[in-house]
Amino acid sequence: MPMRVIAVAGARPNFMKVAPLLWEIQGRDDIDAFLVHTGQHYDERMSQLFFDELRIPKPDANLEVGSGSHAVQTAEVMRRFEPIVESQRPDAVVVVGDVNSTLACALVAAKLGVPVAHVEAGLRSGDESMPEEINRRLTDALSRWLFVSEPSGLVNLRKENVPEERLFYVGNVMIDTLHACRERCQSSPILETLSVETKKYAVLTLHRPANVDEPEVFERMLAAIARLQREIPIVFPVHPRTRRALVEALPRGLPRLILTEPLGYLDFLKLVSHARLVLTDSGGVQEETTVLGVPCLTLRDNTERPVTVTHGTNCLVGRDPDRILSAALSALGSPSIGARQPDKWDGEAAQRIIDVLTAGRIAKPSNRKTMGAKERLSA
Ligand code: UD1
Ligand code: UDP
């Protein structure tokens, strides 16, 4: 009998993480997946677009929870996920990342006695004011398999006395997706659409509540952006959380700040890979710029992904407008920094994860995957 898992995805960054796991599972006969979309993100450009571009199978169930306060959203996911686990009776529930859907589904599974696999375990910013930090700690505490993406994750989990047999350093599934799409994204017309030229523009993303929900903080950041756009055009795909605040806070007369809807993965990857500089508060974008070798300024005081600073192109610059501007000008005036690839960010993380999950099942080498992720996407 193949192993049966429920895989969970709910918000934008989950889709890039779950895709390579599902590609791997599709190519094997020792494991089957039932895909649950919680519906935490639901706009076409925050959800369906990624299913189409990344050829993620249609979810077997969509919980359609939508938006709400943390308690409401988490509780709704739990309420709607529980009957699915009860009826499917899976061998494991696989959750990715650190969003509310991640914690909600891990909690339901653990209470029903179903072992939880957490992909991207062990990341810690040390900042308890971030909702994600709470989600990470609690999900890790509930998990039987902790799949770690960067060395700091192992250090953190050992400090928390997690038993060694639960820890698996497997690399980064989000980077599996990047490798699978790096060539394919080059045919995106996004640079022409936005009238920007390679290495002559910057990209900005902002969606952390600590940055965009406080009008005063957000306005100060936008003041730095207003000054920077005089030096270089800045493309700013606006996250839905940020949209409303932006209408209030955006200064007038910024001809070189190019606002767009949230972009699809292929457009965004192409845009970032040709950018001169990226400014962001995203978790995933810090990792992607490291692999692409594009300088990245993170507009936060901390990161749960320190390998992007020690090995990659990432620099933490905080929220102070003068500091943001001087770091950006200095990055624009310096030659591009070389980045070292973190260990096992090689496109094979999903395969390692599924190998661990299915270990102990009868090994069938002849039935192992015959197609790589890239071939699967272009098949
Ligand atoms: C969530 C995650 C965050 C992650 C981010 C990725 C939590 C606590 N936060 O933050 O860790 O980095 O996703 O993008 O899980 N909205 C729409 N359309 C949508 C989705 C959201 O308009 O499709 C709007 C709603 O007004 C909603 C707001 O965005 O209230 C915030 O959405 P929510 O999922 O609660 O949090 P994010 O800020 O997206
Ligand atoms: N991304 C995208 N379109 C955009 C902005 C981001 O496809 O307009 C991708 C990005 O390449 C990365 C993921 O979304 O793969 C990161 O998601 P997000 O920043 O929403 O969440 P976080 O990583 O901060 O949790």
Side-chain angles (χ1 to χ4, degrees), residues 106-296:
L107 189 50
V108 167
K111 288 265 180 96
L112 290 174
V114 177
V116 176
H118 185 203
V119 175
E120 205 181 82
L123 297 183
R124 300 286 182 266
S125 66
D127 179 356
E128 292 285 345
S129 72
M130 286 180 82
E132 296 81 5
E133 184 75 353
I134 299 170
N135 292 341
R136 292 179 197 120
R137 282 183 181 279
L138 296 179
T139 304
D140 285 344
L142 296 165
S143 295
R144 156 69 187 82
W145 294 274
L146 296 119
F147 292 114
V148 176
S149 56
E150 68 154 81
S152 73
L154 280 182
V155 175
N156 295 330
L157 292 169
R158 284 181 178 137
K159 250 192 248 162
E160 292 169 22
N161 298 318
V162 175
E164 210 54 39
E165 64 271 17
R166 296 189 183 182
L167 304 183
F168 301 91
Y169 186 86
V170 290
N172 190 325
V173 283
M174 200 172 216
I175 300 307
D176 287 6
T177 300
L178 185 151
H179 286 304
C181 295
R182 205 170 168 172
E183 281 167 34
R184 193 157 74 98
C185 80
Q186 294 309 324
S187 58
S188 150
I190 190 70
L191 270 61
E192 294 78 20
T193 308
L194 298 174
S195 302
V196 289
E197 286 176 56
T198 192
K199 298 295 166 198
K200 292 188 179 162
Y201 62 90
V203 174
L204 170 69
T205 81
L206 287 174
H207 71 275
R208 293 281 154 225
N211 284 343
V212 304
D213 286 3
E214 284 294 325
E216 213 175 286
V217 176
F218 192 37
E219 278 166 27
R220 278 163 55 80
M221 281 190 159
L222 289 174
I225 298 304
R227 283 153 71 193
L228 184 60
Q229 60 91 48
R230 291 188 212 145
E231 310 296 325
I232 187 166
I234 303 173
V235 180
F236 183 10
V238 182
H239 188 282
R241 174 184 284 280
T242 312
R243 203 184 299 141
R244 226 173 314 136
L246 194 65
V247 175
E248 304 278 312
L250 190 67
R252 291 186 189 281
L254 304 181
R256 304 222 287 172
L257 179 63
I258 305 165
L259 302 178
T260 74
E261 295 283 301
L263 295 176
Y265 181 75
L266 297 174
D267 283 346
F268 189 75
L269 186 58
K270 167 119 185 233
L271 194 64
V272 168
S273 62
H274 289 267
R276 178 71 186 84
L277 177 67
V278 171
L279 301 102
T280 193
D281 61 9
S282 160
V285 174
Q286 295 171 58
E287 298 180 333
E288 291 165 345
T289 45
T290 278
V291 173
L292 296 169
V294 173
C296 177

Side-chain angles (χ1 to χ4, degrees), residues 23-24 26-28 351 365-373 375-376:
W23 300 331
E24 175 68 21
Q26 279 176 339
R28 303 172 61 133
Q351 185 179 319
S366 58
N367 290 327
R368 286 288 310 276
K369 171 175 89 155
T370 49
M371 246 197 275
E375 295 81 61
R376 199 171 296 286

